């Protein structure tokens, strides 16, 4: 078995009380295979409960869904890298499609957030991906490259093996339509090529695919060696289904 990451983005679901129940059900569903890592991205209010619930479980980490770039101050409603770290987060999503397209986050803002994450010792998971219109116009690689350039415009900090990119085509998120393994692999190959040319650190990069991954299509997607894992929204919300996906997706 090759090492794989299974990242679950709970979005605005599962509060702290539910998170404790979720983790009990998830861990009671069976052992996580040695080569697999599981990352949970709960809403900010549940990070601490998840950090406590995963303590002692190997290869399981918790992350924030988003951070603001300032470390502290008068920014009502936001959480910073140091605050997320204090709650137990080790990672953070940056530039998730819903941050970009629902909340209007710009490429430049993702750059500030990447810098802030690295400064706070949080492993960033940068989400990139094109809309359907951009895909149909043949702009997928141009969009993804622009997003990568903006995100790392501030440099690579002390990334030491700690940068993950999640390729998530916007048209595939929450829609039940997923990219084919070949389509995903083609974009992953380009992202890897870009990273090899531009990264100024010795970091080992992971590239995950996200967009309507579920129990039925995960194995087929993960059979594609370009995928180092998956970032999953809807199908990570049920602890037993998620545990089954993590344990059984054959790669
Ligand atoms: C996501 O939230 O990153 C995601 C990929 O969602 P879904 O799996 O529901 O498409």
């Amino acid at each position: 078995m090759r090492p794989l990451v299974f990242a679950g983005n709970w979005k605005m679901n599962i509060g702290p009380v539910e998170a404790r129940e979720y983790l009990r059900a998830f861990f009671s569903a069976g052992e996580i295979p040695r080569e697999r890592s599981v990352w949970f991205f709960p809403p900010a209010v549940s990070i601490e409960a998840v950090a406590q619930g995963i303590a002692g479980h190997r290869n399981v980490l918790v992350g924030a869904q988003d951070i603001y770039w300032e470390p502290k101050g008068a920014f009502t409603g936001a959480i910073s890298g140091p605050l997320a770290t204090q709650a137990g987060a080790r990672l953070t999503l940056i530039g998730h499609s819903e941050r970009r397209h629902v909340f209007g986050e710009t490429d430049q803002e993702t750059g500030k957030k990447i810098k802030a994450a690295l400064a706070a010792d949080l492993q960033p998971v940068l989400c990139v991906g094109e809309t359907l219109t951009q895909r149909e116009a043949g702009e997928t690689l141009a969009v993804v490259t622009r997003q990568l350039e903006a995100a790392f415009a501030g440099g690579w900090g002390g990334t030491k093996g700690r940068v993950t990119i999640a390729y998530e085509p916007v048209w595939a998120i929450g829609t039940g339509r997923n990219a084919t393994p070949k389509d995903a692999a083609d974009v992953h190959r380009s992202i890897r090529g870009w990273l090899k040319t531009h990264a100024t650190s010795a970091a080992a990069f992971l590239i995950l695919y996200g967009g309507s991954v579920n129990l039925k299509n995960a194995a087929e997607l993960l059979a594609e060696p370009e995928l180092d894992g998956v970032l999953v929204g809807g199908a990570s919300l049920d602890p037993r289904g998620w545990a089954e996906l993590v344990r059984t997706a054959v790669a």
Side-chain angles (χ1 to χ4, degrees):
M1 267 190 193
R2 65 195 171 96
L4 290 171
V5 171
F6 293 79
N9 173 16
W10 292 354
K11 311 195 188 204
M12 201 171 71
N13 300 289
I14 312 185
V17 173
E18 295 160 315
R20 288 187 193 95
E21 286 163 15
Y22 177 111
L23 291 173
R24 268 193 290 277
F26 175 77
F27 288 121
S28 67
E31 280 296 302
I32 302 168
R34 282 194 141 285
E35 305 76 8
R36 302 194 167 185
S37 301
V38 180
W39 299 348
F40 290 108
F41 292 94
V45 289
S46 303
I47 292 175
E48 193 172 1
V50 174
Q52 288 164 356
I54 63 175
H57 291 275
R58 205 178 30 85
N59 291 347
V60 184
L61 295 175
V62 61
Q65 294 177 6
D66 182 43
I67 56 164
Y68 191 59
W69 53 82
E70 294 292 347
K72 62 178 181 178
F75 303 103
T76 302
I79 65 160
S80 68
L83 292 182
T85 308
Q86 199 181 122
R90 295 290 167 265
L91 314 123
T92 180
L93 298 179
I94 301 282
H96 186 274
S97 156
E98 285 143 25
R99 298 304 314 172
R100 293 178 192 265
H101 297 285
V102 179
F103 296 98
E105 189 169 306
T106 65
D107 289 343
Q108 284 64 36
E109 286 170 342
T110 66
K112 293 190 200 180
K113 290 182 177 189
I114 289 277
K115 227 175 147 179
L118 294 172
D121 216 19
L122 283 173
Q123 175 179 338
V125 178
L126 173 73
C127 303
V128 296
E130 81 287 2
T131 63
L132 188 57
T133 314
Q134 290 165 332
R135 183 179 192 84
E136 285 172 350
E139 292 170 2
T140 299
L141 295 184
V143 169
V144 167
T145 304
R146 190 194 71 219
Q147 291 171 335
L148 288 167
E149 278 166 0
F152 294 105
W156 300 83
T159 41
K160 302 183 215 101
R162 299 181 306 119
V163 172
T164 301
I165 311 293
Y167 169 54
E168 299 206 300
V170 178
W171 50 269
I173 298 177
T175 59
R177 281 184 68 186
N178 61 285
T180 65
K182 183 186 171 310
D183 284 348
D186 286 347
V187 180
H188 281 220
R189 218 169 280 115
S190 299
I191 293 173
R192 222 177 285 282
W194 188 90
L195 291 168
K196 274 194 187 137
T197 322
H198 293 85
T200 54
S201 81
F205 295 96
L206 294 173
I207 308 178
L208 315 182
Y209 167 76
S212 296
V213 175
N214 57 38
L215 204 47
K216 288 202 184 100
N217 60 23
E220 193 197 357
L221 283 158
L222 287 168
E224 175 50 67
E226 277 292 336
L227 274 62
D228 297 320
V230 284
L231 174 56
V232 181
S236 71
L237 293 180
D238 167 50
R240 287 181 189 80
W242 181 234
E244 194 180 343
L245 197 157
V246 169
R247 287 203 324 273
T248 61
V250 181

